[in-house]
Amino acid sequence: MTTLHGEQVTINAHGLYYWDTVSSATQMQANDMVTLILGLPLLAVSFWLTLRNSLRGRLLLAGTLGFILYTYVTMCFGAAYNALFMIYVALFSLSLFAFVLVMMSFDLTTLPAHFSDKLPRGWIAGLLFFTAVFISLAWLWRIAPTFTPGSIPALENTTSMFIQAMDLGLIVPLCVLSGVLLLYRKPWGYLLASVVLIKFLTMGTAVSLMALNMARLGVSVSAVELVVFPAMAIANLVMVSLLLRNIKN
C-alpha cells in the first residue's frame, strides 16, 4: 500500500500483527520471543531473589522491568491496534510503577560499598558511551534525509519516529549520565549503570533476533545491524557477569 506520506510498504496481512508492515511484524515477533524465553524467566528469578533480600536480585529485577517497560511503551504506541491492546496497556502501567517502586527501594548512601574495587568501571562506562554514540549516529543517519524539502520519511505505517524519539531523548542521555556518574563513583552511577546494562542485555538480544528474523524473511537489513547488535549483546552479557560477580550482599 501507499502511506499518507507517499511511502510504499507491504502489510503483513495475517496473524496478530495483521495491519503492521512485514518489517514491523518480524521485529515484534522476535521481541515477543525474547520476552518469552529470556524476559519472563529473568523476571521470575530476579523477583524470587529480591524476596530473599538479594541486592543482585533487585538490580536484575530493576533492569528486567526496564526492558519490559520499554517494550510495552513501544507496543502501545507503535503496533497497529490489535486484540492485545489492553494487555499492552496493562503491562506498560504495571512495569512502570513496579520499576519506580524497585528504584525507590535502594539505599543510595550504602550502595557503593556493596561493589568491589575490582569492578571494571572504565570498561562499563566505555560500553555505555559507545552505545550512546552508536544509537545517536544510527538514528541521526535515518533522520537527516528528512531535512531535505519534499523528502519522504521512512515511517512505514507509523505517524512519527517514536522509537527514535525515545532512544535519543531518554536512552542516549541515560547511557552518558550513568557512565559519567559511575566513573566518579557516585551512588546513582552504580545504580543506573547496573540497570542500563541489564536492560541492554535483554534489549540487545531482542534487536539481534529482530535483525536475523528480518533477514530470514527477506526484509532489507544492513550488515552493520547483523554484526554490531549481536556484538553489543555479547559485550553486555560479559559486563553484566562481571557486575554481578563484584557485588557483595
Side-chain angles (χ1 to χ4, degrees):
M1 62 173 288
T2 302
T3 68
L4 295 175
H5 297 278
E7 184 182 2
Q8 297 291 323
V9 298
T10 303
I11 299 299
N12 191 44
H14 69 275
L16 179 65
Y17 303 122
Y18 188 99
W19 292 109
D20 293 283
T21 64
V22 171
S23 174
S24 296
T26 55
Q27 294 177 63
M28 289 186 285
Q29 288 163 353
N31 201 59
D32 290 342
M33 181 179 295
V34 171
T35 303
L36 181 64
I37 65 175
L38 181 60
L40 285 180
L42 265 178
L43 185 65
V45 170
S46 61
F47 182 65
W48 178 75
L49 290 172
T50 299
L51 293 178
R52 295 172 63 86
N53 202 31
S54 166
L55 178 60
R56 292 186 183 91
R58 264 191 298 161
L59 290 171
L60 279 172
L61 182 60
T64 305
L65 287 170
F67 163 70
I68 296 172
L69 173 59
Y70 182 95
T71 295
Y72 288 100
V73 168
T74 61
M75 293 303 290
C76 283
F77 299 107
Y81 185 87
N82 62 48
L84 294 185
F85 176 74
M86 288 305 300
I87 300 297
Y88 301 153
V89 173
L91 290 171
F92 160 45
S93 179
L94 289 168
S95 59
L96 171 62
F97 290 105
F99 178 75
V100 171
L101 290 172
V102 171
M103 293 295 283
M104 290 173 60
S105 72
F106 291 98
D107 183 359
L108 292 176
T109 58
T110 62
L111 184 62
H114 290 281
F115 288 85
S116 167
D117 291 335
K118 296 180 180 180
L119 180 71
R121 293 178 296 109
W123 285 100
I124 293 174
L127 178 60
L128 293 173
F129 295 150
F130 172 81
T131 301
V133 171
F134 178 76
I135 291 176
S136 298
L137 293 177
W139 288 149
L140 291 174
W141 182 264
R142 180 172 177 177
I143 295 170
T146 65
F147 299 151
T148 305
S151 63
I152 299 176
L155 298 177
E156 297 195 358
N157 62 338
T158 60
T159 57
S160 184
M161 294 185 177
F162 67 98
I163 291 290
Q164 288 76 6
M166 290 177 58
D167 286 353
L168 293 175
L170 179 63
I171 301 302
V172 168
L174 185 59
C175 286
V176 174
L177 180 63
S178 58
V180 171
L181 291 176
L182 180 63
L183 288 177
Y184 282 97
R185 299 176 183 265
K186 299 296 184 181
W188 274 107
Y190 287 98
L191 177 56
L192 291 178
S194 301
V195 172
V196 172
L197 278 181
I198 296 166
K199 186 264 184 191
F200 274 129
L201 171 61
T202 48
M203 186 58 66
T205 305
V207 174
S208 301
L209 284 182
M210 287 178 192
L212 292 173
N213 198 33
M214 291 168 69
R216 181 181 67 86
L217 296 176
V219 179
S220 178
V221 183
S222 70
V224 174
E225 292 174 314
L226 290 173
V227 174
V228 174
F229 285 122
M232 289 173 63
I234 294 172
N236 271 282
L237 176 61
V238 172
M239 293 302 167
V240 168
S241 300
L242 291 173
L243 175 79
L244 296 178
R245 284 176 57 187
N246 285 280
I247 292 176
K248 299 171 290 182
N249 277 321

